[in-house]
Amino acid sequence: MGGKVQGQNGVSAEAPIPLLTPYTLGKFQLSHRVVLAPLTRLRSWNNVPQPHAILYYSQRTTKGGLLIAEATGVSDTAQGYPQTPGIWTKEQVEAWKPIVDAVHAKGGIFFCQIWHVGRVSNTGFQPNGQAPISCTDKPLTPQTQSNGIDVAQFSTPRRLTTEEIPLVVNDFRLAARNAIEAGFDGIEIHGAHGYLLDQFMKDHVNDRTDKYGGSLENRCRFPLEVVEAIVDEIGADKVGIRLSPFANYAEAGDSNPEALGLYMVESLNKYGLVYCHMVEPRMKTVGEKCESPHSLLPMRKAFRGTFIVAGGYDREDGNNAVAENRADLVAYGRVFLANPDLPKRFALNAPLNKYNRETFYISDPVLGYTDYPFLEDTE
């Protein structure tokens, strides 16, 4: 990609690099198609975003670049990890403002990913030590955490009653409103990776017998109620969603992921969402690529808005996805974390810093967070 082509008068010109071509995302003019994926970093003390996040996000901002903030809790029951940010209190909203301002000062477009972890939690993260909430009362088995050492313990969840579900929908609506108040350009609903919305969608988890369980339509009812409430609150032009129908994170698999993915994108078309962000089938579990016979192409073709793909992409892979019209934008996580100037490196086809998994989830405000070198620092 990016080889020479004959220009006018026989003068060779650089062929455009697909990832670095401009794109119109709803009302936003993007200068390139390299997106910062939402990345949990565990550096928000007491669930409040910290000043060190100002540098972290601004380092990764380019004029006309899209950034998606780390998963941000919608309520005090939404947490399942230490030191993750929230957006349900006034203090949290105020703490986000300078971070958002720093991204905007450099011309970036900033969406806030909002989530609820559901049963991927334990009583230690819950108000008054209560049980985590979910679509089910089936507990998760203990799991080795992403650092490969610690084992996460999960408490048996409490099954939400039918009457309680609208209250959770309202938590998402208020979080979206708060994100706009904090200055974000939009929000991404986290409907992926085995968290609350995904727990409802996936038939390996959802064992309900009310209107939120059983059929595909019923299992998708709660996520779509969240979508509708947020669209009504802040406008569809500010709403995206992330889905991972093929993934089996946190024991949230589905017997027919393609049908699930297609049903969701076709349903989302009714709301006019600005984008759908989907995780590649090859990413079955955290950080591991595997061969998969499945493809996101049917969902790409069915969805009428912008389609963002994520999951194990490198430069060549991302360029091919855009060139072959399999995606409009490509989200990068670990390599963007380790290369704050990733779009520039892609433009120059420069070597990339290697990421250090050991520092992904430590609480240090600098180490493994804002200390990855820029290209000019390594020359």
Side-chain angles (χ1 to χ4, degrees), residues 76-154:
D76 61 357
T77 67
Q79 310 303 116
Y81 300 86
Q83 321 295 6
T84 49
I87 197 154
W88 71 88
T89 70
K90 184 80 178 143
E91 182 189 10
Q92 291 163 338
V93 172
E94 292 304 314
W96 274 116
K97 286 180 179 177
I99 304 167
V100 177
D101 289 348
V103 169
H104 286 158
K106 290 179 75 173
I109 291 100
F110 205 10
F111 272 54
C112 182
Q113 190 193 60
I114 57 174
W115 73 338
H116 193 301
V117 300
R119 69 174 185 166
V120 187
S121 187
N122 64 46
T123 54
F125 291 112
Q126 296 299 315
N128 310 313
Q130 66 193 41
I133 56 173
S134 182
C135 61
T136 182
D137 53 14
K138 292 185 295 192
L140 266 175
T141 52
Q143 295 181 357
T144 304
Q145 292 198 310
S146 304
N147 61 15
I149 307 159
D150 300 327
V151 175
Q153 301 291 337
F154 303 104

Side-chain angles (χ1 to χ4, degrees), residues 216-227:
L216 182 56
E217 292 78 3
N218 280 358
R219 283 183 281 119
C220 294
R221 187 185 304 277
F222 165 61
L224 291 170
E225 285 178 353
V226 169
V227 169

Side-chain angles (χ1 to χ4, degrees), residues 209-345:
T209 54
D210 64 359
K211 67 180 183 178
Y212 293 102
S215 68
L216 182 56
E217 292 78 3
N218 280 358
R219 283 183 281 119
C220 294
R221 187 185 304 277
F222 165 61
L224 291 170
E225 285 178 353
V226 169
V227 169
E228 184 169 22
I230 292 176
V231 165
D232 287 350
E233 182 69 36
I234 66 171
D237 59 340
K238 302 181 197 71
V239 183
I241 190 168
R242 193 178 216 202
L243 300 170
S244 60
F246 295 96
N248 191 21
Y249 287 45
E251 296 167 16
D254 194 80
S255 59
N256 192 343
E258 189 151 296
L260 171 60
L262 277 170
Y263 178 78
M264 278 300 290
V265 295
E266 284 162 359
S267 302
L268 293 169
N269 283 335
K270 299 176 193 138
Y271 299 102
L273 262 58
V274 70
Y275 72 73
C276 179
H277 180 184
M278 274 211 176
V279 179
E280 285 288 349
R282 63 192 177 194
M283 305 304 285
K284 271 279 196 289
T285 56
V286 184
E288 284 179 55
K289 275 204 286 193
C290 62
E291 289 298 313
S292 172
H294 299 289
S295 163
L296 295 179
L297 210 51
M299 283 129 253
R300 154 64 162 170
K301 288 177 175 165
F303 186 64
R304 291 200 206 109
T306 293
F307 199 73
I308 308 178
V309 294
Y313 277 88
D314 59 16
R315 179 181 186 269
E316 183 184 13
D317 216 5
N319 277 325
N320 290 342
V322 173
E324 294 162 14
N325 201 28
R326 288 184 281 116
D328 300 305
L329 308 173
V330 182
Y332 289 87
R334 291 160 293 175
V335 291
F336 214 149
L337 175 159
N339 295 274
D341 51 358
L342 188 65
K344 180 181 177 182
R345 288 177 191 252

Side-chain angles (χ1 to χ4, degrees), residues 87 175-187 234 238:
I87 197 154
R177 185 167 83 188
N178 286 346
I180 300 305
E181 191 194 325
F184 283 102
D185 298 294
I187 64 97
I234 66 171
K238 302 181 197 71

